[in-house]
Amino acid sequence: MDERAYYSESQTTKPAMLNCPYCKSQESYELRWMVRKKKDRLPGGADERDRAKFAKAQSYMVLVDDKVACKNLRCRKQFDVSDVKTIAFI
Ligand SMILES: [Zn+2]
């Protein structure tokens, strides 16, 4: 069984303070996250192994955006999203 079957997926956005490496301005950016929320119960067709894995599974979110465009109008350069953890357990 695909581990994705353990979770219901949705998307959310969360603000993060990021520093542009080019102009050094700090702004808040809405980053998109994929939320994988553990289901209350396993879907049908699960075997022993699925049950064991499901018991250990945890809800988590994965960062979708890896780049943002600088909000400084005189800069507007794209830069990598660093300093943000790309996976968070919820
Ligand atoms: Zn910039």
Side-chain angles (χ1 to χ4, degrees):
M1 180 176 285
D2 191 336
E3 282 187 31
R4 282 183 198 200
Y6 306 165
Y7 305 99
S8 33
E9 288 190 339
S10 60
Q11 278 212 8
T12 189
T13 56
K14 288 209 328 174
M17 293 301 283
L18 299 174
N19 290 298
C20 174
Y22 302 102
C23 67
K24 313 285 181 210
S25 62
Q26 190 183 55
E27 295 279 354
S28 172
Y29 294 88
E30 291 289 324
L31 299 180
R32 285 176 301 153
W33 293 79
M34 172 71 74
V35 181
R36 297 218 164 95
K37 208 167 176 330
K38 188 178 172 182
K39 289 178 178 167
D40 294 336
R41 59 168 81 198
L42 262 172
D47 60 20
E48 247 351 280
R49 239 178 38 158
D50 288 320
R51 261 189 283 277
K53 277 161 87 178
F54 184 76
K56 281 190 223 151
Q58 255 185 294
S59 302
Y60 66 102
M61 343 194 281
V62 185
L63 189 61
V64 175
D65 291 317
D66 57 353
K67 282 183 194 305
V68 293
C70 180
K71 283 186 177 174
N72 179 350
L73 295 177
R74 282 171 302 180
C75 174
R76 307 283 296 262
K77 285 195 171 73
Q78 288 226 331
F79 62 92
D80 288 333
V81 175
S82 48
D83 311 333
V84 178
K85 271 174 57 178
T86 53
I87 288 194
F89 289 98
I90 46 177

